[in-house]
Amino acid sequence: MARQIRCPSCGGEHTLVNPGISMVVCQYCRATVYWDEESALKLGAQSILPEADTRLYLHATGRLLGRGFTVEGHLRYDHGRGTWDEWYLQLEDGSVAWLSESERQLTLEQATRADAPIAAPSQLRVGQPIGLDQRPYTIRELGTATCIGGEGQLPFAVLPGSRYAYADLASLDGLRFASVEFEQGDRPACFVGHVLQHDQLALDQERPPSKEGARSGRDIRCTNCRASLQVPENRPVQTKVCEYCGAQLDLTTAQANVLGVNPANLKPPFAFAVGQAATFSGVRYEVCGRMLYEDAEHYRTVEYLLHHPEQGYQWLVEEEGHYLLMRPTQEAPQVDPVGLPAKRGVRVGPVTFRKYEEGTVSLIYVDGALPWLAKSGDRFYYVDLIAPPRIFGVERDGAELEYFHGRYVPVAEVWTAFGLDEVPPRPRGIHAAQPFERGPVAKLLMLVGGVFALLNLGLLVWSLGHAGHVLLAEDFDSEQFQAETVSRTFQVGGEKIMSLQLHSFLNNQWLGIDLALMNEKDEVVEEADAEVSYYSGVEGGESWSEGSRHETVYIKAPPPGTYRLLLRGQGGSGEAAGPLHQQKLTVTITQGEVLSRYFLVLAGFAFLFPLYEWLRRFLFEKRRWAPVMPESDDDD
């Protein structure tokens, strides 16, 4: 039988949806009604929840992973730099479920136990591993949550203003999440869950229009200069920067408090304005915030916060005219990249990135409206990992660890996304995530050159097995070749090329030979000449030699028939000719030999452009890594 209670404040009646309910926020007066240990009704503070950027709402019905549900309770927590919501769902089979939501990212959670005792919050650190439900998790964030308020019915009492320490965890692949809640006096409560896509959550009726109506924003007054400002109502805003005085206003309290003020003499190099629209991958985003960061070496980076009501937030980062598009991710590197040397491989999911750099940056200018608290002087530690055109960013801000997946975006694509017709400025230098690119002509030449080179290398290998057949092999002594002599006859076939190979065992001598090919009528049909020389000796205790005792001459083959070779030679041991005694000259004539050297030359020529492109890429990579690598180790 359903239990009914009456609000102690206004007398409003409430029917409890299940026996496990321990707290009700009165729908009439917003008072918090809860039970003490004796089951006596207690009255807590009034619970007021402002509008939020979410599809869910109290009493919404629909189907979650195929099961019907009703939203029976809702809590909102503040962790110092933002908020998140917890939704209590009653399922059609009588069970319950919790949905955690932050910036429209949904996580379905269930209670679990730790594999081992968990230390106190003060002894934990981000990046530390914790085992839950027999799975390894890593601490991504440590903090203290403050309950802003709630509505509906809940299985435990949480009063507005109550606080507890927590640790948010995630698996390496970012697909499973966990949280540890440290309630004072109790052992930690542990929850595990996984990301829930919005198409897995079907509502019977989408969230009703905001009670604020169709206005685009609400008006506030700058507490620094008293100027009238408008704050967007279609998304959570914690920091609003005054357009007139540059004051950074904290909107998390009833009255806007000044967090900081932008430097008056600083003119940031912003290319795009707050409110300007850009379309990436078919989704229209709006610039809702702009930030200027500076590192210890005064190197500056511009970030534009882009927002879409359904897709959420992403960052457009500009460095020296180069652009990156970054989006938060729960996927984590398999090893902590902090302290690793540059170029060290770090695996993130299926991709191996390489460590590029790490350091600390400071926020020196901010404007627009941001969903977190931001002020001049904020600092965070970063690590960049690259696998061009992809980049993976690690940011550590105190007790919070965040990861970002990004890609390099050509400046022309950025200008097109913003609908700009003018020619964009040319980026300076080489960006860490900039891919090495070849134009279509270069790609075609690379393909043609590679195919042609491989073809000629194949022909080179084939030619090595075609040495031809011998037509003549005859020795001549020095008396014969120093006088005019004729070889014996030989038959020439139909192949086009003949080779005349001469070999003599000369030592510190030279030999010049005139050659003539004669037909049966003793007519000279082809002529050639060759020289064989060889010198050697010992100088300074080391042997040396130059020249060759072998020479090959190629001639065009005459028509098939019977031929003889006429030869005459002279030589000596110096510049002047002299007699050569007891020297033998071997002449070998072959036909049908395939000239391998031509294929080698053609293959080398074909490789020239690929070699040029390889050199161009080598120099590109050298420039990429030069800022972070020692001079002696800046190449791949």
Side-chain angles (χ1 to χ4, degrees):
M1 180 176 180
R3 179 184 176 190
Q4 290 188 331
I5 65 166
R6 190 177 295 273
C7 175
S9 176
C10 69
E13 291 188 354
H14 298 272
T15 301
L16 305 186
V17 296
N18 65 56
I21 296 300
S22 300
M23 188 183 90
V24 174
V25 177
C26 180
Q27 60 181 315
Y28 307 104
C29 67
R30 310 300 298 174
T32 303
V33 183
Y34 63 100
W35 291 258
D36 64 9
E37 295 181 356
E38 287 76 28
S39 298
L41 288 180
K42 298 290 183 179
L43 187 64
Q46 190 178 35
S47 182
I48 300 176
L49 287 179
E51 293 282 347
D53 181 26
T54 175
R55 292 173 58 206
L56 293 169
Y57 56 94
L58 190 63
H59 305 312
T61 60
R63 301 195 71 79
L64 172 65
L65 298 175
R67 292 189 293 173
F69 72 87
T70 302
V71 177
E72 297 292 354
H74 174 208
L75 291 170
R76 181 169 301 154
Y77 293 95
D78 186 306
H79 57 81
R81 297 194 64 181
T83 63
W84 83 88
D85 294 274
E86 300 283 350
W87 301 93
Y88 178 62
L89 277 57
Q90 178 79 45
L91 302 181
E92 61 183 0
D93 60 4
S95 61
V96 299
W98 281 94
L99 281 182
S100 179
E101 182 176 21
S102 176
E103 296 180 2
R104 288 222 169 194
Q105 178 175 283
L106 297 171
T107 305
L108 181 61
E109 297 182 338
Q110 62 182 10
T112 188
R113 292 184 177 182
D115 297 343
I118 299 176
S122 60
Q123 299 176 330
L124 299 177
R125 57 177 177 80
V126 291
Q128 180 177 337
I130 288 182
L132 297 177
D133 197 25
Q134 303 301 313
R135 290 178 179 269
Y137 290 85
T138 302
I139 297 178
R140 302 287 177 83
E141 182 180 350
L142 293 168
T144 301
T146 302
C147 181
I148 298 175
E151 56 183 344
Q153 303 181 20
L154 297 164
F156 49 80
V158 182
L159 302 182
S162 60
R163 296 161 59 87
Y164 69 86
Y166 69 90
D168 280 346
L169 306 88
S171 58
L172 288 178
D173 58 12
L175 299 179
R176 298 185 65 86
F177 299 86
S179 61
V180 180
E181 300 177 359
F182 299 88
E183 297 285 355
Q184 187 173 3
D186 296 329
R187 66 179 183 180
C190 302
F191 302 87
V192 295
H194 62 273
V195 176
L196 190 70
Q197 303 300 324
H198 277 272
D199 57 7
Q200 296 173 296
L201 178 74
L203 297 177
D204 295 333
Q205 182 178 348
E206 290 295 330
R207 183 183 179 89
S210 170
K211 297 177 182 178
E212 298 292 332
R215 293 192 303 124
S216 61
R218 60 187 174 90
D219 294 327
I220 66 169
R221 190 168 295 278
C222 175
T223 52
N224 188 53
C225 70
R226 308 305 299 169
S228 179
L229 306 174
Q230 191 175 73
V231 179
E233 281 286 358
N234 61 344
R235 58 186 176 85
V237 175
Q238 292 202 12
T239 302
K240 169 64 180 175
V241 181
C242 177
E243 300 98 81
Y244 304 97
C245 68
Q248 298 135 17
L249 306 176
D250 176 4
L251 304 187
T252 61
T253 57
Q255 180 179 357
N257 297 317
V258 178
L259 293 169
V261 180
N262 287 324
N265 58 348
L266 178 60
K267 297 188 180 300
F270 292 141
F272 311 112
V274 172
Q276 194 168 351
T279 301
F280 290 100
S281 301
V283 180
R284 186 179 185 274
Y285 292 87
E286 182 180 297
V287 177
C288 62
R290 305 184 298 185
M291 292 140 281
L292 179 64
Y293 292 95
E294 186 176 75
D295 65 11
E297 299 178 354
H298 306 291
Y299 184 84
R300 292 182 173 180
T301 301
V302 172
E303 290 188 2
Y304 301 92
L305 180 62
L306 308 179
H307 177 259
H308 181 269
E310 297 297 331
Q311 299 295 327
Y313 294 97
Q314 62 178 345
W315 282 256
L316 181 65
V317 182
E318 185 268 319
E319 300 174 351
E320 297 291 323
H322 300 270
Y323 287 88
L324 304 170
L325 206 55
M326 309 287 291
R327 183 178 288 277
T329 179
Q330 294 297 329
E331 199 170 30
Q334 294 186 3
V335 297
D336 186 357
V338 176
L340 294 180
K343 287 193 174 183
R344 177 66 62 85
V346 178
R347 194 165 182 82
V348 182
V351 180
T352 298
F353 291 80
R354 287 196 291 172
K355 166 77 173 293
Y356 189 76
E357 65 177 349
E358 62 183 285
T360 302
V361 295
S362 299
L363 180 63
I364 61 175
Y365 191 99
V366 59
D367 65 6
L370 309 177
W372 68 86
L373 294 179
K375 66 181 184 301
S376 300
D378 285 348
R379 294 161 58 90
F380 67 84
Y381 197 83
Y382 73 93
V383 181
D384 285 341
L385 311 175
I386 62 170
R390 288 170 290 192
I391 186 169
F392 187 87
V394 180
E395 292 184 4
R396 178 171 292 180
D397 182 6
E400 185 175 0
L401 192 61
E402 293 187 278
Y403 300 116
F404 298 85
H405 267 302
R407 67 176 178 91
Y408 182 88
V409 185
V411 63
E413 181 180 336
V414 175
W415 252 239
T416 299
F418 279 93
L420 303 178
D421 296 328
E422 63 265 25
V423 178
R426 187 173 182 177
R428 297 174 293 278
I430 303 296
H431 189 270
Q434 182 178 354
F436 176 78
E437 295 182 340
R438 295 187 179 96
V441 175
K443 291 180 180 178
L444 179 61
L445 290 176
M446 286 280 290
L447 177 62
V448 172
V451 170
F452 192 67
L454 291 175
L455 176 62
N456 279 277
L457 287 177
L459 291 174
L460 173 63
V461 174
W462 170 80
S463 68
L464 295 177
H466 292 73
H469 53 275
V470 177
L471 305 181
L472 173 71
E474 188 172 351
D475 295 331
F476 302 91
D477 58 33
S478 56
E479 286 76 12
Q480 288 178 298
F481 63 72
Q482 289 185 102
E484 193 171 80
T485 187
V486 179
S487 72
R488 63 177 180 266
T489 60
F490 54 90
Q491 295 296 316
V492 174
E495 292 88 351
K496 300 297 183 182
I497 300 296
M498 296 175 60
S499 69
L500 286 70
Q501 302 169 30
L502 294 85
H503 184 81
S504 179
F505 285 97
L506 301 175
N507 189 31
N508 294 321
Q509 294 173 314
W510 61 272
L511 172 61
I513 303 292
D514 294 323
L515 304 165
L517 198 61
M518 299 188 306
N519 59 20
E520 292 179 304
K521 299 178 181 180
D522 290 337
E523 297 173 337
V524 175
V525 295
E526 289 290 341
E527 292 184 295
D529 61 77
E531 181 176 325
V532 181
S533 64
Y534 183 81
Y535 293 88
S536 64
V538 178
E539 184 174 350
E542 295 185 0
S543 300
W544 61 271
S545 65
E546 64 180 15
S548 174
R549 296 185 172 110
H550 185 86
E551 180 68 14
T552 300
V553 178
Y554 294 94
I555 63 173
K556 180 181 178 182
T562 302
Y563 293 86
R564 292 185 298 167
L565 181 66
L566 174 67
L567 69 158
R568 179 186 176 89
Q570 61 177 349
S573 57
E575 294 184 2
L580 295 174
H581 300 290
Q582 296 181 348
Q583 290 294 345
K584 184 176 70 172
L585 176 65
T586 300
V587 178
T588 303
I589 301 177
T590 61
Q591 189 176 17
E593 179 181 357
V594 179
L595 301 183
S596 303
R597 63 185 182 186
Y598 292 117
F599 297 124
L600 184 61
V601 171
L602 290 174
F605 178 78
F607 271 124
L608 285 179
F609 188 78
L611 181 63
Y612 164 76
E613 283 295 298
W614 176 86
L615 179 62
R616 195 165 69 90
R617 178 161 191 165
F618 172 81
L619 295 176
F620 183 93
E621 293 297 329
K622 190 179 181 72
R623 292 176 62 193
R624 182 201 306 278
W625 291 99
V628 296
M629 295 293 295
E631 187 66 25
S632 60
D633 188 25
D634 58 0
D635 57 342
D636 274 331

